[in-house]
Amino acid sequence: MAKTDNFQTRQPASPTATSSTASMGTSQRESPLLILKVGTSSLMLSDETGFRVNLANLARLVDTIGSLRRDGYQVVLVSSGAVGMGCIKLNLTKRPTSIRTKQAVAAAGQSHLIRIYEDLFGALNLQVAQLLLNQSDFLDQEHWSSIKSTINECLALGVVPIINENDSTNTAEMRFGDNDNLAALTAVQLEADALFLCTDVDFLYTANPRSDPNAKALRIVDEPWALQVDTADEGSGMGTGGMATKILAARTASTAGVPCGLINGQ
């Protein structure tokens, strides 16, 4: 994993609920809490022959989390990859396009994904827990309170919670659409100390650097809610998000007082 200071948002300058939200999360924990989101493009490789696991990247991700844990941080991992892993498990060379097929492939792939995580984290003597969520989990206060308690108990037990959207059962109305949004909502609701989103570039740019040679890197963004960059070009095509969803997630988190950073997950 690359350095975590490639792009950062600052907390809003307004001293309203921002400071109190951040401090409340810190005061309730002995260790700082980080939310780390990794997408399919960081977990998998794809070519004309189909999909395969990017094992080197996965190992670096797990080793990074292990290092953070040893340094005294608590980490919640928000991980995509169920559909991609399902494609590998079912020998599919292309991502399915129909909703029903995607749900079935995700159901097959989620167990494969968590098994890989269990094996890699187990090599570091770390245990993981799986939580599959949808939007309704955030809309019902009592339901979210139960989920939050489960996550906090996992952290107290030294377990790394791994969160993903429940792709196999979610309806179109209840889908997050991408895990960047899920990670931002999780960071806000858990009152995390920081949110980091993995991507496949070194910085946030004013335009796609692969197609625009005049694109300029933005290392620090003070007001992500006012940010205007060109995100029209498609991403890797392996996942459902892109830079546009990461900017939206950064706005959601930073407005609530949670700093957000982008890191190159390749």
Side-chain angles (χ1 to χ4, degrees), residues 83-210:
V83 175
M85 291 294 179
C87 289
I88 294 177
K89 190 173 183 178
L90 301 176
N91 295 317
L92 302 178
T93 58
K94 294 183 179 179
R95 286 178 62 93
T97 55
S98 75
I99 295 296
R100 297 306 180 196
T101 306
K102 281 183 180 179
Q103 289 177 321
V105 173
Q110 184 63 39
S111 61
H112 192 45
L113 176 65
I114 202 68
R115 178 180 176 182
I116 292 175
Y117 276 129
E118 283 190 325
D119 289 343
L120 291 175
F121 276 105
L124 300 180
N125 199 29
L126 290 173
Q127 304 304 317
V128 301
Q130 174 182 257
L131 294 94
L132 301 179
L133 307 181
N134 57 42
Q135 278 194 351
S136 63
D137 294 322
F138 290 87
L139 299 177
D140 185 279
Q141 183 175 2
E142 183 177 355
H143 197 187
W144 171 251
S145 178
S146 176
I147 294 171
K148 182 177 180 179
S149 296
T150 299
I151 294 173
N152 285 331
E153 283 301 315
C154 285
L155 293 172
L157 291 170
V159 175
V160 179
I162 300 178
I163 298 174
N164 194 4
E165 182 172 8
N166 195 345
D167 292 319
S168 61
T169 61
N170 274 357
T171 62
E173 294 78 11
M174 286 291 101
R175 287 185 58 81
F176 290 98
D178 63 86
N179 273 355
D180 296 321
N181 185 29
L182 170 58
L185 290 175
T186 300
V188 171
Q189 293 296 328
L190 291 178
E191 299 162 354
D193 295 277
L195 166 66
F196 292 100
L197 307 172
C198 291
T199 183
D200 56 0
V201 292
D202 291 328
F203 304 99
L204 173 66
Y205 291 86
T206 55
N208 191 331
R210 297 187 180 94

Side-chain angles (χ1 to χ4, degrees), residues 45-80:
L45 299 169
S46 175
D47 56 29
E48 64 278 359
T49 64
F51 299 90
R52 62 186 184 277
V53 177
N54 191 336
L55 192 57
N57 245 17
L58 263 169
R60 284 194 294 269
L61 169 67
V62 170
D63 187 60
T64 297
I65 294 175
S67 296
L68 289 169
R69 287 287 307 274
R70 290 191 295 273
D71 289 340
Y73 291 92
Q74 293 180 328
V75 181
V76 173
L77 176 63
V78 178
S79 175
S80 303

